[in-house]
Amino acid sequence: MELRQLSFFVALAEELNFGRAAARFNVAQPGLSLQIQNLERDLGVQLLIRTTRRVQLTKAGAVFYERSRRILADLENSRLVTQAIAGKDLKKLTIGTIYPATFGVLPAFLAKIGRRFPDVKIHVRTGTSETIIREIEAGNVNVGFIRPLENLGSLRCLGIGHERYVLAMAEDTALARLPKLTIDDLRPQKIIAFARSNLSYTEDYFYQMFREQDLLGSIAYTCDDTLSLFSLVASGLGVGFVPEWMQELPNRDVIFRNVEGVDFSVGLSIAWNKEDPTANRDEIIEMARSLR
């Protein structure tokens, strides 16, 4: 059994198509097929069910795929660790980020990495904290900007800051001209909030606050995400609480104000896998630490 055979088999298990799997290695399809047959002969088990229409993994093939994928990932990590110890420069970095970091700390982080590793190729993936964590665990993302979560499993996490929530409103509303804002000023307003079924810890705070202040009846619109809420505010349909990073968006028709009695902030952290040699370079963590 050879590593090349494992690589071919992993590609085939992921593509479930001999032609596409062969193309990943720029080899002829018959050659890849022969390597898979040799692998099955060496193992003494059938890994694939082949028909004229499709390719499927057997139960043994599914187990062997997971183990082969981990073996190849471990070898790649070993290569990266060895190169890092030898002082080889970083070549590739995948960063996961939630929207607040995209408009906040991410540009500064990318600038620091670019200065230290001028030849690095960087790919940025945007998602939720939960999806980014899953991508880090799967080895598809090296470091990720996330909201603090309670259970990170084997991941490491470094808090890098907090941001407050402010009230967003159209610039031409009467509310915007008041010298200061209180909870009572919200009562005649149409409030834009998040749907009850979509609440995170942050949105749950505002739901409870609206309920305690008898403002649930003032909620005229609900939506699933912050950018949608912001667009409704910009259209003059109502007011809504948003994180400070929204002030970085290029919309001059929306203003942001503090409301007395509403003092809520949410943290921002950077997470990485302690087994990832790329993320665990001292330079990467120090760059993240300096963002605080």
Side-chain angles (χ1 to χ4, degrees):
M1 187 166 53
E2 303 173 359
L3 288 178
R4 183 175 177 83
Q5 291 174 329
L6 294 186
S7 298
F8 284 166
F9 174 70
V10 167
L12 183 56
E14 292 172 348
E15 298 288 351
L16 293 179
N17 181 282
F18 279 90
R20 290 195 299 268
R24 282 171 59 166
F25 295 95
N26 196 28
V27 299
Q29 181 175 327
L32 182 138
S33 180
L34 179 60
Q35 290 292 334
I36 298 299
Q37 291 174 18
N38 291 339
L39 178 60
E40 289 179 314
R41 186 184 65 248
D42 291 342
L43 290 171
V45 299
Q46 184 178 3
L47 300 174
L48 300 162
I49 299 174
R50 306 162 177 83
T51 69
T52 56
R53 292 188 175 183
R54 61 179 179 174
V55 177
Q56 290 179 285
L57 290 174
T58 63
K59 289 183 178 180
V63 171
F64 191 69
Y65 162 70
E66 291 297 334
R67 291 181 175 273
S68 297
R69 187 177 60 83
R70 288 199 296 268
I71 289 171
L72 294 174
D74 286 343
L75 285 172
E76 175 64 10
N77 283 343
S78 297
R79 181 182 69 83
L80 292 173
V81 168
T82 303
Q83 291 179 339
I85 292 174
K88 291 284 187 178
D89 274 347
L90 182 65
K91 295 299 183 182
K92 182 180 179 181
L93 183 68
T94 300
I95 301 172
T97 178
I98 57 176
Y99 277 114
T102 303
F103 292 93
V105 298
L106 180 63
F109 188 56
L110 294 180
K112 288 176 179 291
I113 291 175
R115 288 193 293 269
R116 172 61 183 86
F117 303 103
D119 297 325
V120 67
K121 294 185 183 298
I122 299 175
H123 178 64
V124 176
R125 293 187 179 185
T126 304
T128 65
S129 296
E130 291 78 8
T131 59
I132 291 170
I133 286 173
R134 288 197 295 270
E135 290 291 285
I136 295 174
E137 290 174 335
N140 299 324
V141 167
N142 300 114
V143 295
F145 291 98
I146 63 170
R147 292 301 189 196
L149 296 174
E150 292 184 0
N151 184 13
L152 291 179
S154 63
L155 302 190
R156 291 180 176 175
C157 190
L158 174 69
I160 58 176
H162 290 79
E163 60 180 350
R164 300 178 64 249
Y165 270 67
V166 293
L167 186 69
M169 67 200 76
E171 190 176 34
D172 58 358
T173 63
L175 195 65
R177 295 190 288 272
L178 295 178
K180 64 178 181 179
L181 298 180
T182 67
I183 294 292
D184 288 336
D185 294 320
L186 299 182
R187 300 194 186 283
Q189 305 297 320
K190 290 185 176 181
I191 296 177
I192 306 169
F194 292 90
R196 185 70 183 95
S197 61
N198 194 51
L199 296 188
S200 65
Y201 170 75
T202 300
E203 286 81 48
D204 185 61
Y205 166 85
F206 287 102
Y207 178 85
Q208 298 299 334
M209 187 268 287
F210 292 147
R211 185 176 66 177
E212 292 169 3
Q213 297 295 330
D214 196 26
L215 287 170
L216 289 179
S218 298
I219 297 177
Y221 305 94
T222 58
C223 49
D224 288 340
D225 62 90
T226 305
L227 290 177
S228 295
L229 190 152
F230 179 80
S231 68
L232 296 183
V233 170
S235 299
L237 295 176
V239 301
F241 286 95
V242 298
E244 287 178 311
W245 67 268
M246 301 295 292
Q247 299 179 65
E248 303 296 327
L249 296 180
N251 191 318
R252 304 302 181 185
D253 298 327
V254 175
I255 65 171
F256 305 86
R257 298 281 299 277
N258 294 321
V259 177
E260 292 185 0
V262 179
D263 185 16
F264 181 81
S265 62
V266 63
L268 181 67
S269 301
I270 189 166
W272 68 98
N273 193 324
K274 62 183 180 181
E275 303 298 333
D276 184 343
T278 297
N280 279 285
R281 283 173 177 257
D282 291 340
E283 300 99 325
I284 299 294
I285 304 307
E286 285 306 311
M287 289 175 195
R289 198 183 306 276
S290 69
L291 297 172
R292 293 191 290 183

